[in-house]
Amino acid sequence: DNLPALDLNGSRGRERINFAAFGFPEAPPLGIERYQIGASIKYDLDIFGGRRRTDEAAQANLNAETSRAAAARLSLAGNVVLQALEIASLQSQIKAAQEVVDADNETVALAEKAIKLGAQPDVSKLVPGAQLAQDQATLPGLRRRLAQARNAFAQLLGEAPGNAVIPNFTLADFQAPAEAPVAVPSELVRRRPDIVAAEQSLHASVALVGARQADLYPKLSLTGSITNMADTFRDAFDYSASGWRYGADLAAPIFHGGALRARVGVAKADADAAAARYNQTVLRAFVQVADAMSALNYDTETLAAQRRALEVAQANLDARKRLYELGRGEILDTLDAQRQANIARRAAAAAEGERLKSLATLYAATATIDFDGRRK
């Protein structure tokens, strides 16, 4: 707001008066104490709006910084959720891999049983044994990735890995909604804090153009002041020691070597750059949302396909095992069915984690994820 400026001032000092300067060379110099107390008021009429535009730019810059802080919190919340989903996905993959190893052990036990019964030769357990060793070798790598994911989660919390208390996330802890969020452009522009920050920066830059243009024109202000001056502190508060002034001050630029118009040009160039940054921010936001929605759609299709593949593979495995137990199947056929079921189980676990991460990315892109990682 364009309010008057009120200032108080006071001083104490000692002055030396040289009477010779006033035509009295015979009089010796005199040192006296001076106490001065006063107040002044000034009101800028702001005829051309320069001060108002400057205040407007300052408020817009404040709003921009607030929105940037919100954007940083949103980004952090999104990263926390994604890292939690990574932990949950790896937990699910490790569980699936362990189930695969358990199934391999069952296959090896089945082969050994057939050998004891004389239905199969001794070499028939070599292939399932090799498959068991191969599947067991996948577990250390998954556990290493899980440890790294937990350390990364601790870093996002701002804690050392050894001190952080990290929940044992599982995919069951996250429930995907039946419908994914769909943001229309107007809602996205209003909601995303990075777009709001770019908009406020543009607002500030345009307001500064007006402030710089106002510098080209005269400035008129109303002023008033009152000053008390005395030799002693007590007399400085006496009305008889007071003096005052009021009036209007006018200042008009005449010649500044083109500096004022150059400042207008710089402000306009900054505004053009801010407009370009705003457009780029909006475009980037739309691309991020489109990419996230596409990824979610593809991941949903992939998850459905992997679940169907797992059902078929498991049914085939069960049938092969029954045939083998009845002595009507081959160990290699059973082993192949086991391998297909193992692959499908791991793929389904990974696909479920990827879909949830794509969903979290979409929530972050549309700014529908709260700062504590929950949906709004």
Side-chain angles (χ1 to χ4, degrees), residues 58-210:
Q59 182 62 50
N61 280 324
L62 174 61
N63 295 338
E65 291 302 322
T66 302
S67 296
R68 290 190 184 97
R73 291 194 295 270
L74 176 64
S75 177
L76 176 60
N79 288 333
V80 168
V81 173
L82 287 174
Q83 201 60 45
L85 286 170
E86 177 69 10
I87 293 174
S89 177
L90 287 169
Q91 294 269 39
S92 179
Q93 293 181 56
I94 290 174
K95 181 181 177 182
Q98 186 61 56
E99 290 175 352
V100 167
V101 171
D102 294 341
D104 288 342
N105 282 319
E106 292 180 2
T107 303
V108 171
L110 187 63
E112 291 176 347
K113 181 179 179 181
I115 292 172
K116 288 181 180 180
L117 294 176
Q120 297 290 338
D122 290 344
V123 295
S124 61
K125 72 174 183 179
L126 294 179
V127 175
Q131 184 64 47
L132 171 62
Q134 181 179 349
D135 291 333
Q136 286 175 330
T138 64
L139 284 170
L142 289 172
R143 288 170 179 152
R144 174 182 58 81
R145 290 173 55 193
L146 176 61
Q148 292 174 340
R150 293 175 67 87
N151 292 339
F153 189 85
Q155 182 180 5
L156 290 173
L157 297 181
E159 299 182 14
N163 299 330
V165 178
I166 302 174
N168 198 27
F169 297 110
T170 64
L171 292 179
D173 297 328
F174 301 89
Q175 295 183 355
E179 296 182 0
V182 178
V184 298
S186 60
E187 293 176 345
L188 184 63
V189 170
R190 176 181 56 84
R191 183 184 295 165
R192 277 187 54 139
D194 58 337
I195 295 180
V196 175
E199 178 187 12
Q200 290 299 315
S201 293
L202 175 58
H203 184 178
S205 297
V206 173
L208 283 178
V209 173

